[in-house]
Amino acid sequence: MAIDYDRLMKIEIPDVEQSFTRRDTMLYALGLGFGADPMDARQLKFVYEDGLQAVPTWGVMLAYAGFWIRELDTGIDWVKVVHGEQDVVLHRPLPVEGTVIGKTRVVDIFDKGEGKGAIVLSRRDVFDKATGDHLASMDNMTFCRGDGGFGGTAVAPPPPPPIPDRTPDAVISLQTLPQAALIYRLSGDYNPLHADPGIAAKAGFPRPILHGLATYGVACHAVLQACCDHDPARMASIGVRFSSPVYPGETIVTEIYRDGDAVQFRSRVAERDVIVLQNGRARLR
């Protein structure tokens, strides 16, 4: 079944209620490598209960609607979908425990043409169940490689601004753990591609790869360190475009360019000199 633009725009994605504890918040941060320096009190506050704070990208794991593209009658060839871009807008600092409600909807669909795929934009808004506070909005761009030519609009979303052609203001190197994917998956993404060597081989990889959203979180760590003195309340939003996978154990080097409260960045793997995140952007408070 092909994409039906009108039907997909109106599709009802069930709301998700999720309760989480301080332990969950700490486990997520550990999966990103926070706490690697046991003497760095700035990192400790993300992995230790005394004064605990949440990493801004923790929002991507809250009240996640699951693989709704596969589970609902979307008409999308789910086998060929790729996570293209991810943005998080933080309306307030994220809580370290509580119960949240996630409401996900399709925002727009772009038809790149027969044989060229389609782009589906979706948004998840997360609310604190107890207070009703709007905590965060997550914008997700999914590239559907097998679904072009259904007759939808051919106007694509505007590309993110290019990285400045100058020396970066800061360069942060963060090494991932060899077992980083095995830790990160415990926060809710159990795709065997990130754990099972046999599954990874079938997908064309020599070994399991790190979750793209984990790489995103590591880049967030770099921006927090370089621009926010590890204060998550200073980050208003952060977004990236995914370009290549990371293997657990590799070093992620993030080049950061700052212009007032606007930050641009890109991340590469030092060992292979491959750009893994590009068109990174963040807004500071």
Side-chain angles (χ1 to χ4, degrees):
M1 180 186 298
I3 289 177
D4 181 317
Y5 179 88
D6 292 329
R7 183 169 57 84
L8 186 53
M9 286 294 297
K10 296 176 182 177
I11 197 166
E12 294 186 4
I13 303 170
D15 292 351
V16 174
E17 179 176 320
Q18 177 189 356
S19 296
F20 62 99
T21 67
R22 298 164 74 87
R23 181 181 181 278
D24 297 316
T25 301
M26 290 185 277
L27 182 62
Y28 172 78
L30 285 171
L32 301 179
F34 282 88
D37 181 351
M39 299 303 293
D40 187 345
R42 300 173 304 169
Q43 293 189 46
L44 189 63
K45 65 186 176 184
F46 296 101
V47 294
Y48 181 54
E49 59 271 18
D50 186 9
L52 181 65
Q53 294 181 290
V55 180
T57 50
W58 171 225
V60 300
M61 306 305 294
L62 295 179
Y64 172 53
F67 198 6
W68 60 268
I69 283 178
R70 175 185 178 181
E71 295 164 355
L72 301 179
D73 184 18
T74 62
I76 296 171
D77 185 355
W78 60 267
V79 175
K80 297 181 180 180
V81 301
V82 175
H83 195 168
E85 293 187 23
Q86 179 69 56
D87 284 88
V88 172
V89 176
L90 298 147
H91 306 299
R92 61 192 69 235
L94 297 174
V96 298
E97 61 185 346
T99 300
V100 293
I101 305 294
K103 298 179 177 293
T104 302
R105 60 187 174 88
V106 175
V107 175
D108 213 339
I109 312 160
F110 302 95
D111 188 351
K112 294 174 67 67
E114 185 70 34
K116 298 180 180 179
I119 294 173
V120 174
L121 302 181
S122 61
R123 173 170 295 175
R124 173 169 25 114
D125 289 293
V126 176
F127 302 87
D128 186 298
K129 183 180 180 181
T131 65
D133 289 342
H134 192 185
L135 300 176
S137 299
M138 272 67 67
D139 288 334
N140 185 344
M141 187 187 85
T142 301
F143 181 36
C144 307
R145 295 175 295 164
D147 295 285
F150 59 88
T153 175
V155 179
I163 294 295
D165 184 18
R166 62 178 176 84
T167 302
D169 298 303
V171 179
I172 305 296
S173 296
L174 297 170
Q175 184 170 6
T176 63
L177 293 170
Q179 65 272 38
L182 296 175
I183 300 173
Y184 186 86
R185 70 191 303 269
L186 299 179
S187 290
D189 188 339
Y190 294 100
N191 187 335
L193 176 65
H194 307 292
D196 189 326
I199 298 295
K202 290 180 180 178
F205 298 107
R207 53 194 173 102
I209 61 175
L210 187 62
H211 305 67
L213 287 178
T215 304
Y216 172 52
V218 173
C220 176
H221 183 181
V223 175
L224 281 175
Q225 178 176 320
C227 303
C228 305
D229 194 29
H230 282 90
D231 180 1
R234 293 185 58 193
M235 185 169 287
S237 66
I238 183 167
V240 295
R241 175 172 288 181
F242 301 101
S243 56
S244 190
V246 172
Y247 294 102
E250 292 185 319
T251 304
I252 299 174
V253 180
T254 301
E255 302 165 350
I256 298 169
Y257 305 80
R258 185 168 179 180
D259 182 10
D261 291 337
V263 176
Q264 292 178 265
F265 62 91
R266 65 183 167 203
S267 300
R268 69 178 69 242
V269 163
E271 291 82 355
R272 293 180 287 123
D273 193 27
V274 173
I275 294 177
V276 294
L277 298 176
Q278 56 183 338
N279 299 110
R281 58 270 179 194
R283 180 69 61 176
L284 308 179
R285 291 190 174 93

